[in-house]
Amino acid sequence: MKNPAPTIENTPRYVQVGDGYAATLVVTGYPAEVGPAWLDPLLAWPGRLDVVVHLDPLPAPVAATQLRRQRARLESTRRDDAATGRLGDPLTDAAAEDAAELADRVARGESKLFRVGLYLSVHAQSVDELDDAVADVRATAASMLLDTQPATWRQLQGWTTCLPLATDGLNMRRVMDTEALAAMFPLASPDLPAPLPGEPAAAGGVLYGLNPASHGVVWWDRWTQHNANSVVLARSGAGKSYLVKLEILRSLADGVHVSIIDPDNEYLRLVDAVGGVTLALGAEGVRLNPLDIPPGDRRPQARTYRALFLHTLIAVLLGHQPPPTERAALDGAINTAYNNAGITNDPATWRRPAPLLRDVADALTAQDTAAGTTLAARLAPWTTGSFRHLFDGPTTTVPSGQLVCWSTRQLPDELRAPGMLLALDAIWRDVDTPVTAAPRRLVVVDEAWTLLRDGEGARFLARLAKSARKRRAGLAVITQDVGDLLGSELGQIVIANAATQILLRQAPQAIELVADAFGLTGGEARQLLSAGRGQGLLLSGTHRVAFDVVASPREHQLCTGDLELS
């Protein structure tokens, strides 16, 4: 059975459209002078309010005739007052002077006249809410010296007037000149747009903060955008980790599963407080085997995918891609190591213990070729040398749960980027495994510059940014080194695939690069240079809004930046 079509009920005070209500107000009085963006208080009203302007240009001869008649009426009033001995009316004197000045500008072609209708359509979910909203909008308009009247008995015409039909059913106009109209524009609110008429309000999302310009709430749902990826760019100490921790905490309450790559143990307090799991890479007895095949993966290419990842990992370990001869030798050694372990392309064999990195090195040596021997020797630090502990054995544990933190603080600098890559790979193996009704997953990569400065690591991150949307996942990249992200083609790919972009305080040396990359205005660039801790811009497509981060005392306690040094 089909749903019945929405109905419209017309009453003297409002119209009911479907399950919503709307009331139209007509602006009947205006202040004598207006400044730039004088409609902003209405455009920033924290609710569903349509501000509609109908414009009709007046032909020059008609405008001149009307101005002449208006000046004649005003001048006759002034002369009559003088002849009868009454005191002059200051409003009449000011209106006469304004009319004379406007007539001069119209005669010289410096200004034009327009018939203008300004209407306000207020929306709510119930009649009581509508009455409160109408009273609030009228009070806001009164604070701007605008007189408003409800379109009583003409609410249906008022509702259609406020639709994008270019039809004015009320036809309650005032004459304005070009300067007053120009001060209306741009018709843009400093707040994010409300849902379109007929669309329900967003059920998810998290609170990012308050808009300092309008004091409105900045509420954002990354999961309703084109993709759930985000980038956070800020200089050190601008509050980027604080903001990300708040979003993680609030996303957990929304049912999102979160995995964090934490280079500085900044998230341990938060993880412990909410019952999350932490895996400290580099700690005694903690190992990750990059050749493990996910137990739940039954795709015939799973073994091939692991071989390709090992190519990427070894390029990161070495700092560059090996020469073609060494890559060919490595590919053969990987296949040999899998075959020696009894693991073929048959998924039934994938439960057997996977080979280790040292088994691949042994297979390289057994090839008895110059390329294989050279590559095995170059891999010695990670197979038999000082850095072997992370790879020297089967994977000890792969944590699971709604919040998992992969700490890389205990890794030496030489293993920091490979460790982040291994953690990302382990996270992504879990995300990439086909699961019925998989939860939404957010993967947070803090201090991503560690991975972005390496070509293969940046390439891997770019692939994840492209693939996340198809797997109900979002990739959040946080970095303070803006040059590593904006200065490379792969970094630009990460930004291009992030529907949510957050800019906090920027360094003067990087502001030009940031402004060019994100199309910032001069005012926005200056705002980012002088922004305080936790102040920034949220950008998504054509939407952009400033915000100040807000947190409850308990949230602040969990998200403050004191490092866990243990």
Side-chain angles (χ1 to χ4, degrees):
M1 181 178 179
K2 295 183 178 179
N3 294 328
T7 59
I8 298 177
E9 180 182 349
N10 187 21
T11 72
R13 295 189 303 112
Y14 61 84
V15 293
Q16 180 179 2
V17 183
D19 58 354
Y21 298 83
T24 301
L25 300 173
V26 182
V27 177
T28 57
Y30 297 84
E33 295 183 1
V34 293
W38 58 276
L39 283 182
D40 270 0
L42 290 174
L43 296 171
W45 186 76
R48 284 192 55 192
L49 173 64
D50 297 332
V51 180
V52 181
V53 181
H54 285 267
L55 305 176
D56 283 332
L58 281 176
V62 176
T65 301
Q66 290 188 359
L67 277 175
R68 187 167 53 251
R69 291 175 179 173
Q70 180 69 7
R71 292 183 64 190
R73 285 195 294 268
L74 293 172
E75 188 61 30
S76 64
T77 301
R78 295 173 65 185
R79 292 183 180 183
D80 183 63
D81 290 342
T84 57
R86 292 194 297 267
L87 293 176
D89 184 359
L91 294 179
T92 302
D93 294 341
E97 294 175 1
D98 291 342
E101 181 183 354
L102 181 58
D104 291 340
R105 292 205 307 269
V106 171
R108 292 193 296 265
E110 297 177 357
S111 185
K112 295 183 178 180
L113 298 185
F114 297 82
R115 296 179 66 247
V116 180
L118 180 57
Y119 310 105
L120 311 175
S121 182
V122 189
H123 299 263
Q125 293 298 315
S126 68
V127 175
D128 292 339
E129 291 180 6
L130 183 66
D131 290 341
D132 292 341
V134 168
D136 196 0
V137 170
R138 296 193 70 179
T140 302
S143 69
M144 304 163 54
L145 302 181
L146 294 176
D147 296 331
T148 57
Q149 296 296 331
T152 308
W153 295 105
R154 302 182 67 190
Q155 287 294 334
L156 181 59
Q157 294 92 324
W159 179 67
T160 57
T161 296
C162 295
L163 294 177
L165 303 176
T167 302
D168 186 355
L170 296 176
N171 198 32
M172 300 184 69
R173 305 292 187 94
R174 291 288 295 270
V175 176
M176 292 189 186
D177 64 339
T178 308
E179 287 73 14
L181 287 181
M184 286 186 178
F185 293 88
L187 289 176
S189 168
D191 283 314
L192 295 170
L196 294 174
E199 291 186 357
V206 297
L207 172 67
Y208 273 67
L210 299 178
N211 188 332
S214 66
H215 305 290
V217 173
V218 179
W219 186 274
W220 187 251
D221 188 358
R222 65 165 67 226
W223 304 99
T224 61
Q225 309 309 311
H226 299 301
N227 60 65
N229 300 338
S230 66
V231 293
V232 180
L233 302 182
R235 66 182 303 176
S236 178
K240 58 185 182 301
S241 296
Y242 186 89
L243 170 64
V244 174
K245 291 174 197 174
L246 279 176
E247 183 178 9
I248 290 172
L249 194 59
R250 293 162 181 173
S251 296
L252 292 174
D254 197 27
V256 178
H257 286 223
V258 182
S259 299
I260 309 168
I261 297 180
D262 180 9
D264 293 317
N265 287 358
E266 291 188 81
Y267 297 82
L268 297 190
R269 180 189 299 143
L270 173 63
V271 174
D272 292 341
V274 300
V277 180
T278 299
L279 182 67
L281 300 181
E284 184 67 27
V286 176
R287 296 184 297 273
L288 282 180
N289 184 8
L291 285 88
D292 280 340
I293 298 177
D297 196 345
R298 288 295 177 264
R299 293 173 297 180
Q301 310 93 341
R303 199 187 96 160
T304 302
Y305 291 156
R306 300 317 306 151
L308 294 175
F309 172 72
L310 195 60
H311 278 275
T312 300
L313 175 63
I314 289 178
V316 173
L317 291 174
L318 300 178
H320 60 85
Q321 191 69 253
T325 56
E326 294 185 10
R327 289 205 302 270
L330 175 61
D331 195 63
I334 294 172
N335 290 322
T336 300
Y338 273 123
N339 293 335
N340 291 342
I343 298 176
T344 66
N345 288 324
D346 182 6
T349 65
W350 294 348
R351 293 188 178 274
R352 297 172 180 171
L356 304 176
L357 187 60
R358 65 168 176 262
D359 297 325
V360 176
D362 292 342
L364 283 169
T365 304
Q367 290 177 0
D368 197 20
T369 62
T373 303
T374 301
L375 185 56
R378 297 174 66 192
L379 290 177
W382 297 279
T383 56
T384 59
S386 302
F387 302 142
R388 72 181 185 279
H389 303 290
L390 186 59
F391 313 98
D392 194 23
T395 299
T396 53
T397 180
V398 177
S400 61
Q402 189 178 0
L403 178 60
V404 178
C405 180
W406 299 74
S407 171
T408 62
R409 183 179 178 86
Q410 298 188 47
L411 290 173
D413 290 342
E414 293 80 1
L415 280 180
R416 190 67 65 91
M420 293 180 68
L421 184 62
L422 282 171
L424 263 180
D425 174 66
I427 294 169
W428 210 256
R429 278 186 282 175
D430 190 30
V431 171
D432 198 31
T433 301
V435 177
T436 305
R440 295 172 297 170
R441 298 179 183 271
L442 179 62
V443 182
V444 178
V445 184
D446 204 348
E447 301 299 346
W449 60 269
T450 304
L451 201 57
L452 288 167
R453 65 185 178 185
D454 181 90
E456 288 301 317
R459 189 170 288 108
F460 186 81
L461 201 61
R463 287 199 300 268
L464 300 190
K466 291 181 178 180
S467 306
R469 181 183 60 84
K470 302 176 182 178
R471 293 160 177 81
R472 295 198 73 196
L475 179 66
V477 176
I478 303 102
T479 183
Q480 66 183 19
D481 198 329
V482 177
D484 283 333
L485 191 62
L486 299 180
S488 68
E489 182 179 350
L490 296 172
Q492 294 286 351
I493 292 175
V494 172
I495 292 177
N497 285 277
T500 303
Q501 300 161 351
I502 299 174
L503 305 177
L504 303 180
R505 183 169 184 171
Q506 301 294 320
Q509 297 83 355
I511 191 62
E512 290 187 8
L513 186 62
V514 172
D516 290 341
F518 294 94
L520 302 181
T521 64
E524 290 170 338
R526 289 189 295 272
Q527 179 182 351
L528 292 179
L529 283 175
S530 60
R533 188 180 179 88
Q535 297 179 338
L537 290 174
L538 170 65
L539 295 82
S540 181
T542 58
H543 306 320
R544 53 185 64 205
V545 61
F547 67 92
D548 288 344
V549 174
V550 292
S552 68
R554 179 57 176 158
E555 285 178 326
H556 177 75
Q557 181 183 5
L558 295 177
C559 300
T560 190
D562 295 336
L563 297 181
E564 293 284 347
L565 300 178
S566 59

